[in-house]
Amino acid sequence: MSGATWRRRDDGATELRVNGVFVMDDVETSSERELARIVLDLGAADVLVGGLGLGHTLRELLASADVRRVVVAELQPEIAGWMRDGTLPGADLLADPRTELVLDDVRAVVADQAPTTLDAIVLDVDNGPGFLVHDTNSGVYESPFLQVCAERLRPDGHVCIWSMDRAPALLDTLGRVFEQVDARGIPVRLQDRDEHYWILTGSRPRDSAIVRA
């Protein structure tokens, strides 16, 4: 099973799976929305989002009048189809003139952006480097792609990555490419227990030359 599937659970929640792996539901969405709030608080107006999912990050971004453009990279075309035909909420998000949906691997979509044109790149393509939905997604968390991200960001731009855990190896990798690297624990309530998801952030080096790790 390599595509996306969704189901309505007995508790009424909508659940999304990709490649047979649980990726999200619409019960606990605080960390997805926090991805958007972090870059909005940093002044982002032109944003690239890796992963459409159930649209919670995109909705939070579009709620801001300061956002000019959101490029959304989504590998699974059926997710966009479900939103457009009303199977899943989100038709209004895709119809927003500021949304540019590209159905392709996020690495290709980022590479296609002109250098220094984005304020933020938000990556929520699976469950983090330790819990991959597709094995090939490991490259999203490695230096070559993160360097491409840095080159597409404006000098005061930021990268923001969702992860199920703190991902210390990824923090080390981010530290070789970005400045002011940080990991923020986001408290969540999962099946009657308190847990944390993580958002890892980094700022593009002010120096115009990106260090090749």
Side-chain angles (χ1 to χ4, degrees):
M1 183 184 299
S2 59
T5 60
W6 74 276
R7 70 181 180 113
R8 193 85 65 200
R9 297 198 307 247
D10 292 341
D11 62 0
T14 298
E15 178 182 298
L16 182 65
R17 289 177 176 263
V18 176
N19 199 28
V21 179
F22 172 85
V23 290
M24 65 182 61
D25 60 30
D26 59 1
V27 175
E28 175 50 77
T29 64
S30 57
S31 60
E32 288 93 339
R33 290 181 283 112
E34 185 65 16
L35 279 168
R37 285 195 290 265
I38 287 173
V39 297
L40 289 172
D41 288 346
L42 292 167
D46 297 301
V47 183
L48 187 146
V49 176
L52 174 60
L54 294 175
H56 298 295
T57 300
L58 178 57
R59 187 172 297 281
E60 195 77 19
L61 287 168
L62 295 177
S64 171
D66 295 328
V67 169
R68 287 188 297 256
R69 177 175 66 119
V70 184
V71 180
V72 182
E74 176 52 56
L75 189 61
Q76 307 295 336
E78 56 269 38
I79 297 177
W82 293 328
M83 285 190 177
R84 288 192 172 112
D85 68 16
T87 301
L88 295 176
D92 60 319
L93 304 178
L94 301 186
D96 191 298
R98 294 171 293 171
T99 300
E100 178 187 340
L101 177 65
V102 185
L103 299 175
D104 203 348
D105 187 289
V106 66
R107 286 165 287 188
V109 179
V110 170
D112 283 345
Q113 306 304 304
T116 66
T117 56
L118 295 168
D119 298 310
I121 295 175
V122 175
L123 300 174
D124 186 10
V125 297
D126 53 19
N127 292 323
F131 308 90
L132 298 176
V133 173
H134 297 284
D135 290 343
T136 55
N137 281 356
S138 61
V140 171
Y141 307 103
E142 295 172 355
S143 289
F145 173 64
L146 294 174
Q147 288 161 352
V148 174
C149 289
E151 291 162 359
R152 270 52 181 176
L153 291 170
R154 295 187 173 112
D156 57 350
H158 306 272
V159 68
C160 196
I161 303 175
W162 190 98
S163 179
M164 278 186 66
D165 65 5
R166 192 172 179 275
L170 176 56
L171 282 170
D172 289 344
T173 303
L174 283 168
R176 294 195 292 271
V177 180
F178 293 91
E179 296 177 347
Q180 300 175 0
V181 172
D182 188 26
R184 309 184 189 193
I186 309 300
V188 294
R189 186 74 175 170
L190 302 177
Q191 298 179 352
D192 299 323
R193 70 183 188 278
D194 293 323
E195 299 284 353
H196 282 80
Y197 289 146
W198 292 84
I199 296 176
L200 282 57
T201 59
S203 303
R204 185 190 190 276
R206 289 280 181 171
D207 189 329
S208 60
I210 303 297
V211 176
R212 287 276 172 180

